[in-house]
Amino acid sequence: MMEHMLPSSYAPPPEGHVSHSRLEKVLRSGRFAITAELNPPDSADPSDVYDAARPLAEVADAINATDASGANCHMSSIGISALLTRAGYSPVYQISCRDRNRIAIQGDVLGAAAMGVSNVLCLTGDGVGVGDQPGAKPVFDFDSLSLLRTIKTMRDSGTFLSGRKITNPPRLFLGAAENPCIPPYEWRPERLAKKVAAGAEFIQTNYIFDIPLFENFMSRVREMGLDKKVFILAGVGPLASARAARWMRSNVPGIHVPDALIDRMEKSSSPGEEGKRICVELIQQIREINGVSGIHVMAYRKEHQVSEIINESGVLSSRSELA
Amino acid sequence: MYRIRLFAIRHSRAFEWIYQRVEQVMVALDPVFGKIGYDRIERPVAFTERCIKTVLFDCKMCGQCVLSSTGMSCPMNCPKQLRNGPCGGVRPGGYCEVKPEMKCVWALAWDGASRMKNGAQIETVLPPVERNLEGSSSWLRVSREKAARLREAKEKGRAAVAEAFADARAKEPASAPLAEEPARACGGNK
Ligand code: SF4
């Protein structure tokens, strides 16, 4: 009886694919992909996850389940991912290296794959100091690259890093993050190349608010031929207010917001609307940059705006349906 | 020692040269070490190594030295101990996310590597640190590993790490070791 509850039987992935992921299919078919981040609940009630997922699912090919991002405690990414697969949604299971060692992570990867997860995003993770429990012990047994290579080995060679055999390997589409708009700018593309070498098949970037910086990054990426080897999804999201933007810039690691944008927010009579408009404009500009395969929307506490933003940007109107 | 560390990275090219010479000597001495017994010399060599490298690089004696692949900037000084950095939190001006008063170890590493002859080695994907090798001599491990590269690997589990990170195994063999470990080198976790 229980076997029939989960959608995926353990079948080989389609020709030319590494997984059953919808996101992988969309990307490999050349369509512009949309992913969106789910704000994890501080609750044990599954309906809180579904309430947050519903508005995102209207437009997203996959929904990211964050792993205690910003080192703050929330429902776990593996729990959220499992709930999402049960309801037929396609999650991106985020794994941060901050909280678990190699024994825990390799086990979780098998567990997640068995629950029907087919995308993972390998992250280093923010330091514990910025979170709500700065006294926690940071683990960082893996880093994002050794984690990528490890999952790739589990999938392609069917072994744990210990050499022990995995009878039925996990079929996972492997992702990593990148942050083009923070130092060392000149080495960010090289670091991306290293992630591709480690096994990354798609990239979701942190927030892009600075188009010229991102264009520089992308032109180097194209020069290195990386856009042909990995699908790049650019991170975007609506700013709530000038104050919130300033707070984010100084308190959340790795976020760069140019002063010009903050000024624009400050001058606007309705900052909420302005933040949305800026986001739509950014998406339209990003869409025109060669080598970008999609966007990743992170709308913190503004899930309800995601489908509006995507529809207004027009990126989906030209997209044909997936067979 | 932060100042000396920055000096070493600024002169990464010279230190790379010195390091290569030391390595050549250690590899050449493999038969001698083998005769005396790696187990016997482990402690004195580890002690000497610790003294020298702590002064120069703020070495943390991880036992799997990869300085030649990290622009002579010791990655164990990164608060997240990344082996393939930098992370996504580097602050404006290249300062560390976790310790804002310090330059990001990995921003320095790429900078150091850009001046080195074999700087491109920084592109190698390195495996996670084997924490049970902490405190042991990396120099002896390099000597053993380079010598053992010719011999076949016996232990299957270690071979899996070496295979998964083949590039790292070729360029920084001590980071994915295959040679047999003397008893004294393998106790960091106890
Ligand atoms: S900013 Fe640099 S030194 Fe600091 S944690 Fe990140 S990679 Fe390590």
Side-chain angles (χ1 to χ4, degrees), chain A residues 145 149 152 192-200 226, chain B residues 123 125 167:
Chain A
L145 283 101
R149 183 62 67 80
K152 187 176 162 63
L192 176 66
K194 206 169 158 178
K195 289 197 169 177
V196 174
L226 291 172
Chain B
E123 286 156 25
V125 182
D167 218 20

Side-chain angles (χ1 to χ4, degrees), chain A residues 19-319:
Chain A
S19 73
H20 292 280
S21 155
R22 176 188 161 81
L23 178 63
E24 185 183 3
K25 274 186 208 126
V26 169
L27 287 169
R28 291 205 195 275
S29 69
R31 290 169 174 82
F32 197 74
I34 314 282
T35 56
E37 184 174 290
L38 183 140
N39 302 317
D42 293 336
S43 134
D45 183 350
S47 64
D48 289 333
V49 172
Y50 295 130
D51 288 347
R54 225 166 283 121
L56 303 179
E58 286 170 25
V59 286
D61 297 303
I63 297 175
N64 280 57
T66 59
D67 187 7
S69 70
N72 289 307
C73 215
H74 305 289
M75 186 192 286
S76 72
S77 58
I78 197 162
I80 294 172
S81 297
L83 287 170
L84 291 179
T85 58
R86 273 196 217 175
Y89 298 126
S90 170
V92 176
Y93 167 43
Q94 298 195 181
I95 308 176
S96 142
C97 298
R98 180 194 52 236
D99 306 320
R100 280 163 303 149
N101 69 8
R102 67 189 84 177
I103 301 172
I105 291 181
Q106 291 177 80
D108 279 349
V109 163
L110 289 188
M115 291 299 297
V117 170
S118 46
N119 311 294
V120 290
L121 186 74
C122 302
L123 301 166
T124 298
D126 304 315
V128 292
V130 296
D132 62 348
Q133 318 202 26
K137 181 177 184 186
V139 178
F140 298 111
D141 190 17
F142 280 129
D143 57 33
S144 56
L145 283 101
S146 50
L147 173 60
L148 274 168
R149 183 62 67 80
T150 300
I151 303 180
K152 187 176 162 63
T153 305
M154 291 171 71
R155 182 189 73 192
D156 297 346
S157 314
T159 60
F160 291 109
L161 214 48
S162 67
R164 250 175 54 237
K165 228 179 129 38
I166 297 169
T167 50
N168 291 307
R171 317 249 202 234
L172 294 165
F173 188 41
L174 297 181
E178 191 44 81
N179 205 348
C181 300
I182 60 157
Y185 309 109
E186 65 275 39
W187 304 120
R188 288 284 162 194
E190 324 282 326
R191 167 119 162 111
L192 176 66
K194 206 169 158 178
K195 289 197 169 177
V196 174
E201 287 146 343
F202 70 95
I203 298 289
Q204 293 175 316
T205 78
N206 208 324
Y207 289 105
I208 309 286
F209 288 115
D210 194 326
I211 296 287
L213 261 185
F214 183 56
E215 268 176 344
N216 280 348
F217 171 84
M218 283 306 297
S219 75
R220 179 85 185 104
V221 163
R222 287 192 303 269
E223 247 171 64
M224 295 168 73
L226 291 172
D227 56 322
K228 301 276 179 292
K229 294 185 186 152
V230 68
F231 299 105
I232 298 171
L233 285 78
V236 291
L239 293 166
S241 65
R243 222 183 98 229
R246 271 203 207 92
W247 183 88
M248 232 165 60
R249 185 161 72 171
S250 42
N251 291 292
V252 185
I255 296 185
H256 161 72
V257 190
D259 292 330
L261 275 193
I262 298 189
D263 276 355
R264 204 176 135 184
M265 293 290 291
E266 206 134 48
K267 290 201 185 99
S268 158
S269 50
S270 94
E273 277 304 303
E274 190 67 9
K276 220 177 84 182
R277 206 167 312 130
I278 292 174
C279 186
V280 169
E281 287 169 22
L282 286 172
I283 294 175
Q284 289 166 338
Q285 285 169 303
I286 287 169
R287 175 81 164 106
E288 297 307 315
I289 300 174
N290 271 334
V292 177
S293 303
I295 52 163
H296 174 52
V297 192
M298 294 166 280
Y300 181 66
R301 291 203 185 130
K302 287 186 183 300
E303 287 103 333
H304 57 283
Q305 288 192 351
V306 171
S307 63
E308 256 173 79
I309 289 174
I310 296 297
N311 290 330
E312 269 173 46
S313 75
V315 289
L316 280 186
S317 53
S318 53
R319 195 172 102 167

Side-chain angles (χ1 to χ4, degrees), chain B residues 77-82 85-91 95-99 102-107:
Chain B
N77 287 303
C78 158
K80 300 183 186 173
Q81 301 198 339
L82 305 186
C87 73
V90 185
R91 289 169 190 264
Y95 288 91
C96 171
E97 172 199 323
V98 183
K99 291 187 182 168
M102 174 182 92
K103 282 270 186 183
C104 164
V105 166
W106 277 101

